[in-house]
Amino acid sequence: MAAGLVAALGFPPLNLWPLALLGMAGFAVLVAQAPDWRRAMLIGWLFGVAHYTFANNWIATAFTYQAAMSPAVGWAAVPLLSLYLAVYPALAAGAARAIGGQRPLPVAFALAGCWIVAEWLKSWVFTGYAWDPFGLVFLGGFDRPGIAALLPWLGTYGLSGLAVLVAGGIGWLLIARAWWRAVAVFVLLAVGMYLPGPAANPGTLEYTLVQPDFTQEELNDPRLYEAQFQELEQLTTPRQDKGRRLVLWPESGLPDYLRDGYPQRYYDATTAGADPAFARARIGRAIGPGSLLMTGAVDLEIDKPGAPDARAVGAYNVVTALNAKGQFAGSYAKAHLVPYGEYLALPWLLEPLGFRRLVAGSIDFNPGPGPRTLDLGAWGQAGIQICYEITFSGEVVDPAHRPDYIFTPSNDGWFGAFGPPQHFAQARMRAIEEGLPVLRATTTGISGVIDAHGVVRNTMPAHRPGRIDGLVPQALAPTLFARLGNLLPLGWAVLLLAASLLATRRRAR
């Protein structure tokens, strides 16, 4: 458990990657010394409980922003979630011990390969939870990608495997008391982590990215809706040249329904007097000629459109694109909904225990169809990933219609001090492995523009209202990962497991 806790110190905002590698090295040694694979699984499970409890501590903060449950439930939810997430390190440890025996080097190879498979499984089993892959510890500072520059050839889960392999090698060196060799490994890693990033490669499309700093307490207060729109409007004021410009607003910042055909009572509950035509028209005036807006919004599913007793039976978390005339230019619905945030899994079990969905309201959110590219004409081909979705490696781009950039609006006001920097870091990982710039607009921060190498070209810190203006960075040619997806890291897993078996046989001889 101590090793699991130390291994989590490499994640943002702490970024203590040498300690993270030492924690993982200790874990690899414990797995190799386990008397059998069953004890190794127990070691892996205890490691995972501590590791994921610390890494996901920000989840507890989210429970303080809703009225349906006591905030104390959040402090129970984090370790309860970790009891499940720890199953994946347990599986990796048990399999690595079975494959590598009690030999540190073969176990290091096997643990690296099994860790890749475990993280991949964790990303999709029971809808998946891909937050904080271990390879995140290899991501450099904002001005450089660090060892994460290898993502195009490894993928996120492959980079995690590399980090586990390096840690396992360090553990093997420490057991052998090869102190100077272990120090040499850390020196080489430090060189890789601090290599300067490439020069900027801006494109020609202008953008204005808005961060209004609407706190979570303010977002659901109807008395503030009009003032919030005026804040967005003021921060969006166009430049004098009125040229072609992409405007980006965050998730949750716009309270208006923009679609026609809903019962009037739903419009009355938003900005004062705002029917959808009025809402769209004033947004068009706010962004000005030559501009196109992409904003987070909510669409409703109505059971009997036009009927007197019509009601909403579902909702979609969407990004809506509007031009300067207030006309629709495209739309995308979120596919990866947040478990227990936008929907409550296993309600028959959890509701009697006092659990509720975190997002306000009683209408369930429906998932969208998955990655789509919006053709915005002169404003380019836009890929969209809303908030939590950006954490899913290999699931953020429509491979048949590669975009020019990815827009990821988010509301990180739920997530305390640890969640936003971890979320932003994972957006950087997507940029590197896909070779695409990522533009991130949030209600409270961290907002920023990330180029296709993972270098942060513009950013706005948390809890500061403002805007960023610039040129959307250019995309790179499709990376190897963009072509192969998660087949690439799974292929590396096979090679690592084969290397472990080969090393085990040679030792046996």
Side-chain angles (χ1 to χ4, degrees):
M1 293 186 80
L5 178 64
V6 173
L9 299 179
F11 297 135
L14 301 178
N15 298 307
L16 301 174
W17 61 267
L19 289 181
L21 293 178
L22 286 175
M24 184 60 76
F27 173 55
V29 169
L30 290 172
V31 171
Q33 292 178 344
D36 54 40
W37 65 267
R38 294 177 183 86
R39 183 63 63 87
M41 283 193 70
L42 175 60
I43 291 169
W45 187 75
L46 292 172
F47 173 93
V49 169
H51 183 73
Y52 291 117
T53 297
F54 184 80
N56 293 303
N57 70 79
W58 53 270
I59 294 176
T61 309
F63 284 79
T64 64
Y65 296 113
Q66 48 75 50
M69 294 172 285
S70 167
V73 175
W75 296 108
V78 175
L80 284 173
L81 173 64
S82 299
L83 295 180
Y84 159 67
L85 295 177
V87 167
Y88 296 96
L91 293 173
R97 172 63 180 79
I99 295 169
Q102 286 189 300
R103 300 172 180 85
L105 193 57
V107 167
F109 279 102
L111 185 60
C114 292
W115 193 277
I116 292 173
V117 176
E119 281 198 348
W120 172 72
L121 288 171
K122 184 168 71 72
S123 75
W124 62 265
V125 173
F126 301 129
T127 76
Y129 186 79
W131 197 275
D132 278 351
F134 189 68
L136 196 62
V137 303
F138 273 166
L139 184 65
F142 277 15
D143 61 338
R144 58 191 183 277
I147 298 170
L150 297 174
L151 280 167
W153 298 277
L154 298 177
T156 290
Y157 308 131
L159 185 67
S160 293
L162 176 63
V164 171
L165 178 63
V166 170
I170 292 170
W172 179 64
L173 291 173
L174 293 177
I175 288 177
R177 298 186 179 182
W179 314 115
W180 289 111
R181 292 183 182 181
V183 170
V185 171
F186 276 108
V187 170
L188 289 174
L189 291 172
V191 171
M193 290 294 286
Y194 289 93
L195 285 174
N201 188 22
T204 59
L205 175 62
E206 293 189 14
Y207 68 82
T208 295
L209 189 151
V210 173
Q211 178 176 295
D213 194 27
F214 298 156
T215 65
Q216 200 59 36
E217 297 91 341
E218 297 170 337
L219 282 176
N220 296 318
D221 188 344
R223 297 169 298 179
L224 301 177
Y225 286 169
E226 184 61 26
Q228 289 169 0
F229 179 82
Q230 291 177 8
E231 175 75 7
L232 288 169
E233 182 178 34
Q234 182 179 3
L235 290 171
T236 306
T237 303
R239 295 176 174 177
Q240 294 299 317
D241 58 12
K242 297 182 180 180
R244 180 169 53 96
R245 180 182 67 145
L246 183 67
V247 180
L248 304 170
W249 288 358
E251 181 190 30
S252 304
L254 185 69
D256 297 324
Y257 294 117
L258 301 178
R259 298 284 176 181
D260 298 308
Y262 302 160
Q264 185 59 41
R265 63 183 181 277
Y266 293 107
Y267 300 122
D268 292 340
T270 60
T271 304
D275 65 76
F278 170 80
R280 295 193 301 267
R282 74 172 184 167
I283 288 173
R285 291 192 297 270
I287 64 177
S291 295
L292 183 136
L293 170 73
M294 285 196 289
T295 180
V298 173
D299 288 350
L300 299 178
E301 179 184 1
I302 305 299
D303 59 351
K304 295 180 285 187
D309 60 341
R311 64 186 183 91
V313 294
Y316 294 90
N317 187 348
V318 302
V319 163
T320 298
L322 295 173
N323 63 22
K325 295 180 180 180
Q327 299 168 330
F328 290 107
S331 181
Y332 167 83
K334 185 177 184 180
H336 265 294
L337 301 176
V338 180
Y340 312 105
E342 291 165 310
Y343 72 96
L344 184 65
L346 305 176
W348 57 271
L349 172 64
L350 296 177
E351 285 185 355
L353 297 176
F355 285 87
R356 297 291 185 271
R357 195 185 69 191
L358 290 176
V359 175
S362 59
I363 303 172
D364 289 333
F365 280 82
N366 300 326
R372 295 291 185 273
T373 298
L374 301 184
D375 184 355
L376 301 178
W379 294 271
Q381 306 287 315
I384 313 291
Q385 289 290 286
I386 300 174
C387 195
Y388 175 64
E389 292 186 302
I390 199 68
T391 65
F392 289 87
S393 174
E395 300 180 42
V396 301
V397 169
D398 179 359
H401 301 91
R402 181 174 167 84
D404 300 318
Y405 54 87
I406 298 172
F407 172 48
T408 176
S410 186
N411 171 18
D412 284 0
W414 297 88
F415 299 152
F418 275 65
Q422 290 178 7
H423 205 177
F424 190 81
Q426 288 167 104
R428 293 180 62 198
M429 301 273 277
R430 299 295 84 73
I432 302 170
E433 66 184 2
E434 296 287 351
L436 292 171
V438 173
L439 298 90
R440 189 169 191 267
T442 69
T443 49
T444 58
I446 305 167
S447 300
V449 175
I450 306 160
D451 74 8
H453 297 284
V455 177
V456 182
R457 296 302 175 183
N458 275 301
T459 186
M460 195 177 305
H463 306 299
R464 183 180 300 173
R467 63 187 264 179
I468 301 172
D469 293 291
L471 297 173
V472 177
Q474 292 187 25
L476 301 177
T479 65
L480 184 61
F481 179 84
R483 297 180 185 278
L484 298 179
N486 282 319
L487 289 176
L488 180 60
L490 291 175
W492 285 112
V494 171
L495 290 176
L496 288 166
L497 293 173
S500 175
L501 291 172
L502 181 61
T504 301
R505 289 182 178 180
R506 285 185 173 181
R507 287 293 186 96
R509 290 177 183 175

